Amino acid sequence: MSVVHSPTLAAPLSSADAADAAVWRVRLLGGFEIDDGRHRLTRLRSRAAMALLAQLALAPERDHAREVLAGLLWPDADEVAGRNRLRQTLSLLKAVLEPPGGAPVLQADRRVVRAVAGALWCDARAFEQALRAGRHAEASALYGGELLPGFYDEWVLDERRRLQALQERLAERLAERLAERLAQNPPAYPPAYAPEHPAVAPPAPSLADAQRASTPAPAVPRSAVPRLPQYLTRLIGADVQGARLQALVAEHRLVTVLGAGGCGKTRLATEVARLACSAPHGGPPPRFEHAVFVSLVGATTATELQDRLQGALRIEAAGPPLEGVLATLEGRRMLVVLDNAEQLHDDAAAAIAHLAERLPSVHWLVTSRRPLGLDGERSFALETLELPAPDASLHAVALNPAVALFVDRARAHRADFHVSAGQRAALVALVHWLEGLPLAIELAASHARTLGPAELLALLQAARADRSAPAGSLAFLARRGVRSGSDPRHASMLDVVRWSWRLLSAPQQHMLAALCMLPVGAALPMAAALGGGMAAGTVALPLAQAQALLDDLVAHSVLKTTTGHDGQQRYTPQEPVREYTLAQLDDAAQRTLRQRLLAWLMAWARAMPATAPLPSVRDELPNLVQALAAAPADGDAGDALRLVLWLQSSWGEIAIPAGGLDALDALLASPGLDDAHAAAGHALAATFSYEAGRGERVRAHLQKAQALPCDDPVLRVMVLSRSARLHWRLDRNATLARALIEQALPLARATGRSNSEASLLSLKGHMLTAGDGLPEQGRVYTAQSLALWQRSGNRHLINAGRYNVAVTAMQAGRPATVLDELQALADEGRELQDWDLASGALEAHGTALLALRRWPEAACSLRASLALAWDGMEMMAVMYALWHFAPVLARLRMAELAAMTMAAADAHWRERYGQRDASDLRELRRVRRFTRALLGPAAAQAAWARGAARSVGETVRAVLDSPAGR
């Protein structure tokens, strides 16, 4: 039994005094401690005695049956042995709690044991009572951590989980209340915006500011003040994360704040520690007596850790440092901040675990780039600062934490710096480029004296692109003076990232280097294929080994994880880490990795199932584009072109970015390509260019596709089919299109290419329906094409055939019969993430409702089609939705918007895609006549002119923001 005598009571109490003061305070949360005002005990002679007292203190008003207590404390003993042990333990406990002359605390008879009313006070019970009474601040102060740490009896575990659940809900409630108070009563700051914009609010407050705003000035013990670092700058943008960390530190005894270098771990931990030792006047006592800050920069071993602890605690006694630390901290409610612990060896981590086990009333707050890996450790991943939306208003930009931090630090170098309308876009782009990293933002702001945001961003971008400068932008992001603090690594982003790199093992560095070659990182299969090393001939890693390396890199805070469209976890380097890592690779290593990426992509494309998984293709699209762009210089243009052709079953449902079109153009310009593959590639590039609205490139690619010899019958069918479709779409040249179809159909049938045959028949049916006005004849061919596609098992092609059949029926005058089918196709498109199908089906659904004169329902379907197409960047689908939305707007008497919408759709369609069908032109004329009748000729013409001058984005926003669009 360990007894600590209170220094405030030198003389023993009299018997009468003892009787009056016979209340034992039992603390079970975060450790074991009992105190009656004279003695404080942190352990009893047996664990059974401690567990028995816990049972009685948790329910002091209850009669505890002896057999129940024996069963809980000694579940493996028989009944007789259990009752004997209970009798012995009870005798021991009464000897401690009821010394000679003391008041009774426990009562027992042959059946039950109970506590004397009012003799036991328990922190866990008081926590629940305060929580039920709505005294949340008091409840938060009472919860010192998990119940009886180190006890693993079943009843303890059950009670521990129950109390933890209550505390988690309390922490969430307190965080929400803090955020609400900050939103309602933000502290006043000097304006961070231009004087000509008085409506713009000041930047977001800091965590310390939030505490000052909601409570009176805290009373911090004088002895604690020098033990935490003091900063000359304000903490900005950490309020919500700070509140969450405060609750976590109060609840758990070992919390590690994780994050990349420069994300603000040390600063946040320091402010949380300062607040944890503070209390408002008249409120409950602070959770901790003192906070101690221990810098571990340069410390790796257990001995160095103990030396740093001894120095921070000002222990002057000779002897083993560990014993001095234990003697100083034992029984004290302390918060110890261990800063920069990522380089600690296993023996040092084991020393922390030993200290945590021996010191149940001490909590440990660790900052690190990787977890310590200890039992009971709770990780807190520190997120970077929230970034403003690219199109955010001036008001929203000035309030954004990342921008507010830049403004605040820039004013140290240029006092008149502010957020103005002219700088808004540049500031938003700059903090996005810096990825919201607080240190990077601070270092960039140090250049504000001579550079504006736009100039600074351009310089940083140029520095990163300059391969002759090994440090790139990282060296430029550096402090030009002495840093306030003790960690020289934070003087530049280069030093920060270099430190992270040096902490990695060689296999970890190889995996990181492979991922840094990929614009959007990789999921596990690709990472395993690429991450084995830079040597030529390196084989793929086993998936389990690759996953272990990825987990390590995430733990080191050099990789961030996201969930892809296909639901797989993807691993992407932080941009500063990517820049530094690529600088470590020579040209040969980078080329090896690029070639390995191309080989993996080719194998992935060849193994693609009949129904291409569009979410996976979208996830890899940026990596695909980079592989295509690099292939000509690496001598791999032929392989890259085959990759493009193998993926053609996916391209029809996915919008290709501009960079992909440029990469394909460069690929096709490479010398030495096989003629047949080049012809097919040009035909595919012509299709991509048409869908992107690049009319001049369509004709150039078409000419080359038809001029190149193509002796491969399969590729020849592809060239003829795509050429026929484009000649019809661009110029409505039915004669040439039909001639090409008739050339291609026998080849398709001879080679057994049923999907190609179906595509040709589908085009034939569409031309009869839309061009010749013969939907009944067109229906024959669309039905034949659907039957062929159904044999393939390709859901994308089957859905295309179903769509064609439904549209043909609608154009034949049966719109009511296709509503259910079009809605089903829209649902199918959403399931497959085929946004082109989903938006097209909704657009056709709206058009059918329009033909049935069901205007509000038509508006609803067309609005959904437009929103889906715009979000999915399917520009042709956007044009169709706008075109058919205009008649609905006219019928709903929104004549001006109808005129502007149709004018914009017509102008942009002609600019991007060429001629319209005869039926579309009839709709155009009807809208013009209708709006002229509603507005008058002059007003209608003016609205038409304004609409024709609008951008697509402006037109889409105007429609979606209108009453019909909502």
Side-chain angles (χ1 to χ4, degrees):
M1 180 169 62
S2 173
V3 179
V4 180
H5 293 279
S6 171
T8 61
L9 296 174
L13 295 175
S14 67
S15 298
D17 292 335
D20 293 338
V23 177
W24 281 92
R25 299 178 66 84
V26 183
R27 296 186 177 90
L28 306 175
L29 298 173
F32 179 89
E33 178 184 301
I34 61 174
D35 182 0
D36 70 341
R38 295 179 299 171
H39 306 100
R40 184 169 70 247
L41 292 80
T42 57
R43 63 181 63 89
L44 300 179
R45 190 169 297 165
S46 73
R47 290 172 62 89
M50 297 164 69
L52 176 57
L53 179 57
Q55 267 285 328
L56 299 173
L58 286 167
E61 75 286 350
R62 184 189 307 165
D63 288 344
H64 299 265
R66 282 180 177 264
E67 61 268 25
V68 173
L69 289 174
L72 288 174
L73 299 177
W74 301 280
D76 298 326
D78 60 34
E79 183 178 349
V80 174
R83 290 181 70 91
N84 288 336
R85 291 179 184 179
L86 177 61
R87 184 168 54 254
Q88 294 167 3
T89 303
L90 186 60
S91 177
L92 169 64
L93 193 56
K94 287 175 70 70
V96 173
L97 300 179
E98 302 173 0
V105 177
L106 303 179
Q107 293 177 334
D109 57 29
R110 297 184 62 182
R111 291 188 313 104
V112 299
V113 179
R114 71 178 67 86
V116 173
L120 294 179
W121 176 94
C122 177
D123 59 350
R125 180 179 169 82
F127 162 74
E128 282 199 78
Q129 291 171 337
L131 196 58
R132 284 197 296 269
R135 302 191 301 273
H136 296 152
E138 179 184 342
S140 181
L142 283 166
Y143 192 88
E146 66 182 21
L147 179 76
L148 288 174
F151 285 71
Y152 299 99
D153 310 76
E154 186 174 347
W155 70 270
V156 174
L157 294 175
D158 290 341
E159 187 68 5
R160 182 183 297 163
R161 284 191 287 266
R162 187 181 69 83
L163 292 171
Q164 283 177 336
L166 292 175
Q167 169 60 14
E168 287 170 2
R169 289 197 292 271
L170 173 62
E172 292 173 0
R173 191 177 300 120
L174 289 174
E176 291 170 359
R177 289 177 57 191
L178 175 60
E180 290 171 1
R181 287 200 302 270
L182 291 174
Q184 294 168 1
N185 300 297
Y189 291 114
Y193 49 89
E196 63 266 26
H197 296 288
V200 179
S206 69
L207 175 65
D209 296 327
Q211 183 72 11
R212 287 193 293 270
S214 58
T215 63
V220 182
R222 184 176 298 277
S223 60
V225 172
R227 296 188 178 182
L228 292 173
Q230 302 296 309
Y231 293 91
L232 300 178
T233 56
R234 292 186 294 118
L235 179 62
I236 293 176
D239 301 293
V240 174
Q241 294 195 86
R244 288 175 48 222
L245 182 58
Q246 279 183 274
L248 204 62
V249 169
E251 180 181 357
H252 299 285
R253 294 179 51 233
L254 176 58
V255 177
T256 302
V257 182
L258 300 173
C263 72
K265 301 182 295 294
T266 300
R267 182 66 186 275
L268 182 64
T270 300
E271 297 299 336
V272 166
R274 196 185 316 281
L275 292 176
C277 298
S278 308
H281 293 303
R287 176 66 186 81
F288 301 102
E289 301 169 18
H290 298 299
V292 177
F293 184 89
V294 184
S295 174
L296 298 180
V297 175
T300 58
T301 66
T303 300
E304 291 170 329
L305 167 70
Q306 294 163 19
D307 289 342
R308 299 290 179 89
L309 280 166
Q310 190 175 33
L313 293 168
R314 303 172 185 174
I315 301 172
E316 299 178 359
L322 186 60
E323 293 305 317
V325 171
L326 287 169
T328 302
L329 294 179
E330 187 171 15
R332 302 189 67 185
R333 293 183 295 110
M334 298 283 286
L335 176 60
V336 180
V337 180
L338 301 179
D339 188 48
N340 288 304
E342 59 268 359
Q343 76 290 334
L344 292 181
H345 295 167
D346 289 345
D347 64 334
I352 296 173
H354 178 68
L355 289 167
E357 182 181 349
R358 293 280 301 276
L359 300 167
S361 60
V362 175
H363 286 217
W364 305 80
L365 177 56
V366 183
T367 73
S368 178
R369 302 185 192 188
R370 63 183 179 91
L372 298 175
L374 300 177
D375 288 343
E377 179 183 18
R378 288 299 180 106
S379 296
F380 180 87
L382 181 57
E383 300 172 359
T384 55
L385 293 174
E386 178 189 352
L387 295 170
D391 58 349
S393 66
L394 184 65
H395 175 84
V397 169
L399 285 175
N400 176 261
V403 174
L405 177 62
F406 184 90
V407 171
D408 183 80
R409 301 307 191 255
R411 283 180 171 176
H413 308 279
R414 204 174 87 196
D416 64 341
F417 190 89
H418 57 263
V419 182
S420 64
Q423 291 180 328
R424 182 198 65 80
L427 273 171
V428 170
L430 177 60
V431 295
H432 272 270
W433 195 90
L434 297 169
E435 294 194 316
L437 276 171
L439 179 61
I441 292 173
E442 290 192 11
L443 296 175
S446 68
H447 297 278
R449 179 181 292 110
T450 56
L451 293 172
E455 298 166 298
L456 178 57
L457 177 60
L459 193 151
L460 289 169
Q461 290 171 331
R464 178 172 288 179
D466 184 3
R467 290 296 307 276
S468 64
S473 67
L474 300 179
F476 182 78
L477 290 173
R479 208 175 293 276
R480 301 294 187 262
V482 179
R483 172 170 168 77
S484 173
S486 59
D487 189 355
R489 296 170 304 160
H490 287 177
S492 77
M493 286 302 298
L494 177 61
D495 293 329
V496 168
V497 179
R498 183 188 288 128
W499 175 252
S500 293
W501 175 263
R502 290 174 177 173
L503 291 173
L504 302 178
S505 65
Q508 291 167 347
Q509 290 178 348
H510 293 157
M511 176 62 80
L512 180 60
L515 295 175
C516 286
M517 295 291 296
L518 307 172
V520 290
L524 175 60
M526 182 189 286
L530 305 184
M534 266 66 77
T538 302
V539 297
L541 295 172
L543 290 180
Q545 183 180 347
Q547 185 63 62
L549 287 172
L550 293 170
D551 290 343
D552 290 341
L553 292 170
V554 172
H556 277 81
S557 303
V558 294
L559 287 186
K560 53 189 176 184
T561 60
T562 57
T563 302
H565 292 93
D566 62 0
Q568 290 192 79
Q569 196 84 342
R570 299 189 67 83
Y571 302 88
T572 309
Q574 306 280 354
E575 284 306 314
V577 172
R578 186 195 302 277
E579 184 175 355
Y580 178 85
T581 303
L582 291 179
Q584 311 310 303
L585 304 180
D586 59 24
D587 290 340
Q590 293 201 30
R591 179 178 177 180
T592 297
L593 287 172
R594 287 195 299 268
Q595 290 178 327
R596 200 176 299 159
L597 168 64
L598 180 60
W600 185 89
L601 289 170
M602 293 181 73
W604 169 73
R606 292 291 280 176
M608 196 77 72
T611 301
L614 300 183
S616 296
V617 177
R618 283 193 182 89
D619 285 336
E620 300 303 342
L621 190 55
N623 293 334
L624 275 164
V625 169
Q626 177 168 285
L628 299 182
D634 290 340
D636 298 321
D639 285 343
L641 182 55
R642 281 191 288 276
L643 170 62
V644 172
L645 296 175
W646 289 342
L647 284 171
Q648 68 172 305
S649 63
S650 305
W651 298 128
E653 285 72 40
I654 290 181
I656 307 300
L661 297 178
D662 294 340
L664 182 55
D665 284 354
L667 191 65
L668 290 168
S670 301
L673 294 176
D674 173 79
D675 284 341
H677 284 95
H682 280 292
L684 192 57
T687 302
F688 293 165
S689 298
Y690 175 78
E691 291 170 350
R694 297 183 173 186
E696 73 290 349
R697 293 195 184 190
V698 178
R699 299 183 189 282
H701 282 300
L702 263 181
Q703 184 178 1
K704 291 177 181 177
Q706 293 169 345
L708 285 168
C710 184
D711 54 6
D712 184 317
V714 172
L715 296 178
R716 180 65 178 161
V717 170
M718 174 185 166
V719 171
L720 292 171
S721 177
R722 292 189 179 277
S723 298
R725 191 171 298 274
L726 289 169
H727 281 300
W728 166 251
R729 285 182 168 183
L730 276 173
D731 305 316
R732 292 297 184 264
N733 191 333
T735 301
L736 179 54
R738 287 190 169 108
L740 293 171
I741 291 172
E742 296 308 318
Q743 288 184 53
L745 274 173
L747 279 175
R749 289 165 180 154
T751 56
R753 309 295 290 184
S754 59
N755 287 345
S756 298
E757 181 184 355
S759 179
L760 291 163
L761 292 173
S762 171
L763 176 58
K764 198 170 183 178
H766 170 72
M767 292 172 61
L768 284 167
T769 301
D772 300 332
L774 301 171
E776 291 301 331
Q777 294 183 31
R779 184 178 63 82
V780 175
Y781 290 105
T782 55
Q784 291 176 5
S785 66
L786 174 58
L788 288 170
W789 274 329
Q790 284 172 332
R791 298 178 195 170
S792 70
N794 185 328
R795 289 173 67 185
H796 300 306
L797 295 178
I798 294 170
N799 290 333
R802 290 170 58 191
Y803 174 85
N804 292 340
V805 168
V807 170
T808 301
M810 182 171 63
Q811 292 176 332
R814 299 191 298 274
T817 64
V818 299
L819 291 175
D820 290 343
E821 173 71 344
L822 290 171
Q823 187 60 60
L825 283 169
D827 295 339
E828 176 92 349
R830 290 190 179 99
E831 179 190 341
L832 296 173
Q833 294 189 29
D834 184 345
W835 310 129
D836 185 53
L837 171 67
S839 59
L842 286 167
E843 177 267 321
H845 189 266
T847 305
L849 290 167
L850 177 63
L852 296 170
R853 306 178 69 82
R854 291 158 61 175
W855 318 126
E857 294 172 82
C860 183
S861 291
L862 290 168
R863 188 246 182 250
S865 169
L866 181 58
L868 203 59
W870 184 247
D871 289 343
M873 297 183 295
E874 299 287 350
M875 291 307 298
M876 186 175 289
V878 169
M879 293 292 104
Y880 275 119
L882 288 174
W883 190 273
H884 292 293
F885 216 130
V888 176
L889 293 170
R891 297 308 192 281
L892 294 175
R893 293 298 192 267
M894 302 172 66
E896 183 177 11
L897 182 58
M900 295 175 69
T901 301
M902 182 60 89
D906 179 50
H908 289 290
W909 183 276
R910 283 187 284 104
E911 178 186 352
R912 291 167 176 262
Y913 306 119
Q915 300 298 317
R916 300 296 309 231
D917 289 336
S919 61
D920 291 331
L921 294 176
R922 286 194 296 272
E923 193 66 61
L924 172 69
R925 289 191 290 271
R926 279 197 294 269
V927 170
R928 293 203 76 156
R929 287 197 302 269
F930 201 86
T931 55
R932 191 179 295 115
L934 290 174
L935 297 173
Q941 184 60 36
W944 202 273
R946 290 197 303 275
R950 266 185 170 177
S951 68
V952 176
E954 290 172 329
T955 305
V956 170
R957 282 193 293 272
V959 172
L960 294 180
D961 290 342
S962 71
R966 292 195 293 270

